[in-house]
Amino acid sequence: ATPQTPTTTSPTGTRAITAATYTATTSQPSTAIVLTGSVDQQVLRVALTGCVGTPVTSITFATTGSTLASDIAAAKVYYTPTTTFANTTQFGSTVANPNGTFTVTGSQLLTASPGYFWLVYDISPTAVPGNVVDASCASALVNGNTATPTTVNPTGTRSIVQALVNDDAPGALLLTVGAGCTGAPYTNVNASESSGEPVSSCSGTTGTHTVWFKFTAPASGAVRVSTDLGSGGTMTDTRLGLFSATDPSIYGGFSIISCDEDGGSVVINNDVDDPGTYMSVLYATGLTPGATYYVEVDGFITSITGTFCIAVDELSSTMLATAATCASTVQVPEATTTPPAYTGWVPLMDEN
C-alpha cells in the first residue's frame, strides 16, 4: 500500500481548556400550610450545576426562619433531575430534630445539570399551630468545590396548622382562656357532621364541616368565644356554638348555651363579591367555674371550609360598647333600622 499524506496536516481551530463551574441557587418550593404530624414537607430547593456525572457530597443547611426547632421532628434531602418533586431518591441520611446549622452528607452524581436537591421536614405531632417552618442553605460541595448560593434563605415560609383530630367532640382541642390566637392555625377541611352531632342553632338545623374545641370556665363563669380574629385564614364565614356536656362521646347529652353567626366585625370575608364581616362572636355568663365546655365551629354553608383562628377570653368591660350610638367594633349596627338592629345574633351587649 502507498502511504497517503493529508493535504492539511494541522487544520484550523483549537479547543480552549476552561475550569468547570459549580453553582448553587435556592428557591422556595411551597408556601402552603403544613399539618402537625405530616411528613416530607418541602421547605427549600437547591439547584446545583456542574458537569453531568459530577458528584455532590454534602449540603449545609440551617433551620433559619423557623419559629421553634422543636416543631421539626426530622429533616431529609431528596434528589431529582427535574423541578418536579419526588421522594424516591434520598440524599444522605435523615437528620433527627435539626436545630440551627446541620450538614447532610451523601454521594449523588448529577444526572442532569442543574440537579435539584429538596430539603423536607417531618413536622412534629406536637408542633405549635400558628408557628412557621423555614430553612436556609449555606453551601454545597460539588466535585470537591464549594458552591455558595447568592440567596441563602429565599422569601417564604410554611405555616403550621393543627391536623384534623377534632372532627368529633371527644377529640376537641383544648383552648386556654386568655391565650389569644394569631394567624390561622386551625382547619375544618375534610371535617364532617357525625350522626346525632348537635348543631349551632343560631343558623340552620344541620351542620356541614364541624370541628370541636373545649375550655375550662374561669372563676367568673363569664366568657367570650370568637373566630373574629387572626389573619390569613381561608375560612371567613363561620357558625359558632357553645355547649355543656358531661360526656363528649354522648351527643344526646349536649345542651346549647349560646351561639352566633355573622357577629364579627374585624375579619373581612374573602369573597370579593361579598366583602362583609361574617365571623362569629358569642358570649356566655353563669358557667360553672372549673367545668369543661365544648365549642363547635362550622362554615356557614357546605362549600365553606378552610383555616381560621379561635380564642376564649374572660369577659371584661372592654368588650362592651360604650357609645350611645352603638357605633363600636364589639358588634356592627345596621343603621337602616330604627331602633338599630345588629349584624348577626348578639347574645350579650350593654343597654346602649
Side-chain angles (χ1 to χ4, degrees):
T2 302
Q4 301 295 314
T5 302
T7 303
T8 303
T9 57
S10 179
T12 302
T14 60
R15 298 190 66 180
I17 300 173
T18 59
T21 58
Y22 308 99
T23 65
T25 306
T26 61
S27 59
Q28 180 73 36
S30 174
T31 56
I33 63 169
V34 295
L35 299 179
T36 55
S38 58
V39 301
D40 285 352
Q41 297 298 319
Q42 305 162 37
V43 290
L44 191 65
R45 185 178 69 195
V46 183
L48 298 178
T49 64
C51 297
V52 172
T54 295
V56 176
T57 51
S58 72
I59 308 175
T60 298
F61 298 99
T63 55
T64 307
S66 299
T67 309
L68 288 174
S70 58
D71 291 333
I72 307 167
K76 290 172 278 188
V77 177
Y78 293 105
Y79 170 76
T80 66
T82 70
T83 55
T84 301
F85 174 74
N87 58 358
T88 53
T89 303
Q90 185 171 351
F91 172 77
S93 301
T94 300
V95 178
N97 309 118
N99 185 356
T101 301
F102 62 98
T103 298
V104 179
T105 59
S107 181
Q108 174 63 53
L109 299 181
L110 293 179
T111 58
S113 184
Y116 298 92
F117 293 79
W118 307 73
L119 176 65
V120 303
Y121 288 160
D122 291 350
I123 307 302
S124 170
T126 58
V128 179
N131 284 356
V132 301
V133 290
D134 196 9
S136 62
C137 174
S139 63
L141 201 60
V142 185
N143 200 31
N145 296 272
T146 299
T148 303
T150 302
T151 302
V152 299
N153 185 16
T155 302
T157 60
R158 300 194 66 178
S159 297
I160 300 171
V161 169
Q162 176 65 55
L164 191 65
V165 297
N166 56 335
D167 193 6
D168 285 295
L173 297 176
L174 178 64
L175 299 174
T176 301
V177 175
C181 182
T182 58
Y186 304 108
T187 183
N188 72 332
V189 174
N190 296 325
S192 60
E193 183 186 23
S194 298
S195 176
E197 190 170 346
V199 175
S200 173
S201 54
C202 282
S203 176
T205 58
T206 59
T208 57
H209 302 284
T210 53
V211 289
W212 289 88
F213 301 85
K214 62 184 178 181
F215 66 90
T216 301
S220 66
V223 298
R224 176 186 66 185
V225 185
S226 175
T227 59
D228 192 34
L229 73 168
S231 60
T234 56
M235 183 166 71
T236 52
D237 190 351
T238 61
R239 296 191 291 174
L240 191 62
L242 174 64
F243 298 83
S244 63
T246 55
D247 184 345
S249 65
I250 303 175
Y251 283 142
F254 277 61
S255 297
I256 192 163
I257 297 171
S258 182
C259 58
D260 182 67
E261 192 269 319
D262 287 356
S265 60
V266 178
V267 176
I268 304 299
N269 188 23
N270 57 17
D271 184 347
V272 295
D273 296 322
D274 188 15
T277 51
Y278 301 129
M279 296 302 267
S280 308
V281 184
L282 67 77
Y283 302 85
T285 60
L287 304 183
T288 302
T292 298
Y293 292 87
Y294 293 85
V295 178
E296 181 186 54
V297 178
D298 197 1
F300 174 55
I301 57 177
T302 302
S303 61
I304 296 179
T305 62
T307 57
F308 61 94
C309 246
I310 183 171
V312 182
D313 293 289
E314 192 166 12
L315 284 187
S316 71
S317 60
T318 62
M319 299 176 187
L320 299 176
T322 57
T325 61
C326 300
S328 76
T329 59
V330 178
Q331 297 290 342
V332 180
E334 299 286 357
T336 56
T337 62
T338 303
Y342 280 78
T343 297
W345 288 259
V346 185
L348 176 68
M349 66 175 65
D350 72 354
E351 63 184 42
N352 292 325

